[in-house]
Structures are given as structure tokens and as C-alpha cells.
Amino acid sequence: MVDSDESPVPLHAVVVGAIPDQPARVLKEAARYAKLFQAPLIVAHVDVTRFVTYEDPDGYVHSAPIDIDLAVGEVQLASVRDAAASALEGSGVEWTVTQLVGDPALAIKHLAERAQARLIVVGTRRRGFGESIREFFTGSVAARLAHRQSRPILVVPLEEPLDDDTPWPA
């Protein structure tokens, strides 16, 4: 495992979007496909509390916080790193962790372009009325990725499927 905040991005990788407290199933499915493709795995966490101010020609991204509390993104990255280490232990896949900033769909899209990714893996949204409202205003990361780039996307369900008669997830 290598943190790749400033190191070169592995080429032809599988990119997986990761958030704190996400079920390990998403990382394990991404690792399974990385192994099938004989490709490295990039575990990407997007810090939505920061935004891109500008990007240097060499690809270095300068960002600024929306909130003064920088510790939030660091704590979330540590959580994602620990979850990845646990889920990917013994997988036989070369993997790195990187933290991106800004809009999750756009940040993952740009990372996938830089890595010439073979596949992008994301989880479905969490259940709940609040998550439904958030998705209504911001849109599904998976759907936004599908409309903004040409790489295949694997969407991994986080939980058991709902019955067709359930109008709102609990």
C-alpha cells in the first residue's frame, strides 16, 4: 500500500471511490476486478469539504477549505485508508490510496483519465430519506460519471435490495 497524494498515478488501474464507513464489499469487488485485469487498484477518497482553486500544468492540484477545520478530511482519509488495509489484506492486488478534492464525480473522472483507468467502481448511496434528498439536489455520483466519461462503471449495491413495493428507503 502506498499513499499517492503526490506520487505518480498508476496507469491502467481500476479506480474505486471510497467513503468512511462504506461496506467492505465495494473495495473487495474493486480488488476482484483489479486482479482479473491484472491491474493496480487506486482507492480514491474525495474530500468534499475542500475545493480546487487551480491546477498546475504538471497536474498538481491546489485546493482551499470550505471550512477552516482541516481535520475533517484528514480523519476521513485515515478511516478510508484503514478500511482499505483491512478489506484488501491478502488480496494479492497492488493498491494505493489517494485523496481528491471537490465534486466526487468530477474528481473521480479526472483521476480515471490521468490513470487511463480500465474500470471505475462506486457503491450505491446509503438508504434513508436524507440521502434521497441529497441525491435529488446533487445527483447520483454513478449516474453523473456515466454521463461524463467513457470508461465502464461498476456500481456495487451497499445493502440488500429493497422490495419493489417499498416507496422510500427507511
Side-chain angles (χ1 to χ4, degrees):
M1 190 276 300
V2 176
D3 284 333
S4 65
D5 291 331
E6 295 176 17
S7 60
V9 176
L11 293 179
H12 310 293
V14 170
V15 173
V16 58
I19 59 174
D21 303 321
Q22 176 175 275
R25 179 178 184 195
V26 177
L27 290 167
K28 288 180 179 183
E29 283 294 319
R32 188 165 72 88
Y33 280 90
K35 195 168 193 170
L36 286 171
F37 292 145
Q38 298 179 340
L41 179 64
I42 302 173
V43 179
H45 171 260
V46 182
D47 183 353
V48 296
T49 67
R50 299 182 65 80
F51 64 95
V52 175
T53 55
Y54 64 96
E55 187 173 341
D56 287 339
D58 67 356
Y60 182 79
V61 175
H62 298 266
S63 65
I66 294 170
D67 189 358
I68 299 300
D69 186 6
L70 296 176
V72 172
E74 293 170 6
V75 168
Q76 290 181 347
L77 179 61
S79 174
V80 166
R81 185 182 298 114
D82 292 346
S86 176
L88 301 173
E89 183 178 2
S91 67
V93 173
E94 174 190 328
W95 58 279
T96 61
V97 174
T98 190
Q99 187 170 49
L100 310 170
V101 297
D103 175 88
L106 294 177
I108 292 171
K109 171 194 170 198
H110 292 303
L111 174 62
E113 287 172 355
R114 284 195 344 253
Q116 299 172 18
R118 302 187 84 180
L119 176 70
I120 298 171
V121 180
V122 294
T124 56
R125 69 173 173 80
R126 292 182 174 114
R127 290 187 187 160
F129 183 73
E131 282 298 310
S132 296
I133 296 298
R134 184 203 56 78
E135 186 174 275
F136 175 79
F137 285 107
T138 62
S140 158
V141 172
R144 292 178 61 226
L145 277 167
H147 295 323
R148 287 175 172 76
Q149 53 83 48
S150 61
R151 287 171 176 76
I153 300 167
L154 173 64
V155 181
V156 179
L158 298 183
E159 303 169 23
E160 292 299 315
L162 295 174
D163 294 333
D164 291 339
D165 297 330
T166 304
W168 286 100

